Amino acid sequence: MSFEQWARSWEAVPLAEATERYDIGEASNELVDGPEDILGDEPECFFVHRGHLTVDGPLVMGNGPHEAVDTVYVIDGDLTVNGPMRFVNMDVYTPLYVTGSVTAEDLLCLLDCNLIVGGSLTVGGLLMTELADAGMLVVHGATSAGAWLEAWDRGEVALLQDLEGRRLRIRDSHYDEQAEAEDAADVLSPGLLDGGTEDLSDRLWKAALEGRPLLRPGIRPPAGTGGNDE
């Protein structure tokens, strides 16, 4: 689903008002100075959803070239996805800024995804980051996940508070996660790594869509966290 499809009813906020209210430089932890650093040019407006947003998942979002307005999308509140969530941009850099918290069952942030979370990030199962050089995931609040798999040593991942959950690496991959991380083969559900690292994100997403757990039984984040409904 492109952002244009997802955000049809969102409010177009003029750039001067939007940049004053939603400081992308500060929100990105100064990884960029403003939206023009992500998009290449200043947009005419931001598209904003005011208030909490709850989506019955699965939620797939992102853009390929010429699929939506080249701008910043903002949820001024919490985003709760009742199911898995996949955010992938391909050769475009459309950012989503959630001023509150994000909750999903599984979350895959891929390629040129730019996801900025002003509050906490709670993932019931697997958080996967496989970002290209222009991608970013920034979380200002607590991050809780059953496990986090960072598959590429590219892009920017800034978890500004300690992660609650396991960190995973893929043995013998082109990117070997730091030594203290656990072998993903011991944590991911059996069979998911049978094809190696090639197209791993596609296999994980297919399993999530089929309702299969991505992690072995008993691997869950700390209890007592959750999102707000709209």
Side-chain angles (χ1 to χ4, degrees):
M1 180 189 305
S2 75
F3 277 101
E4 188 169 71
Q5 293 171 304
W6 191 41
R8 282 175 179 158
S9 63
W10 295 17
E11 178 185 358
V13 177
L15 182 64
E17 178 185 347
T19 53
E20 182 176 353
R21 181 175 298 177
Y22 309 110
D23 186 333
I24 297 302
E26 181 179 352
S28 72
N29 195 41
E30 311 303 333
L31 292 175
V32 296
D33 291 331
E36 68 279 1
D37 287 350
I38 302 175
L39 302 171
D41 295 300
E42 285 191 338
E44 294 183 4
C45 65
F46 289 12
F47 282 102
V48 178
H49 181 284
R50 299 188 191 273
H52 303 321
L53 179 60
T54 299
V55 178
D56 288 329
L59 173 63
V60 181
M61 62 182 182
N63 289 334
H66 314 300
E67 287 186 349
V69 176
D70 208 13
T71 187
V72 178
Y73 292 81
V74 178
I75 297 173
D76 197 351
D78 298 340
L79 171 62
T80 301
V81 180
N82 295 321
M85 173 177 165
R86 182 175 183 256
F87 184 0
V88 53
N89 279 337
M90 295 177 290
D91 297 323
V92 293
Y93 314 107
T94 310
L96 173 64
Y97 174 28
V98 181
T99 65
S101 297
V102 173
T103 303
E105 181 55 33
D106 298 294
L107 174 59
L108 280 62
C109 295
L110 308 175
L111 299 180
D112 298 314
C113 156
N114 282 271
L115 176 60
I116 302 171
V117 182
S120 62
L121 173 61
T122 302
V123 179
L126 180 68
L127 168 63
M128 180 184 189
T129 49
E130 190 174 72
L131 298 174
D133 294 337
M136 74 169 78
L137 170 64
V138 179
V139 182
H140 287 261
T143 299
S144 172
W148 170 32
L149 172 61
E150 187 175 17
W152 284 356
D153 187 18
R154 298 171 63 183
E156 295 283 355
V157 178
L159 307 181
L160 303 184
Q161 297 188 26
D162 290 341
L163 169 73
E164 295 185 56
R166 290 171 163 83
R167 293 196 63 173
L168 307 182
R169 60 181 171 83
I170 301 175
R171 185 190 306 164
D172 300 327
S173 71
H174 67 283
Y175 169 49
D176 192 22
E177 179 59 274
Q178 55 186 295
E180 62 267 25
E182 298 179 59
D183 190 335
D186 296 331
V187 177
L188 294 179
S189 291
L192 289 177
L193 281 174
D194 286 353
T197 59
E198 187 175 357
D199 299 325
L200 176 58
S201 64
D202 291 337
R203 295 199 306 276
L204 291 171
W205 184 246
K206 179 181 178 182
L209 291 180
E210 292 171 351
R212 292 188 280 145
L214 304 187
L215 305 179
R216 293 175 186 268
I219 298 173
R220 307 293 294 180
T225 54
N228 296 319
D229 290 342
E230 187 175 9

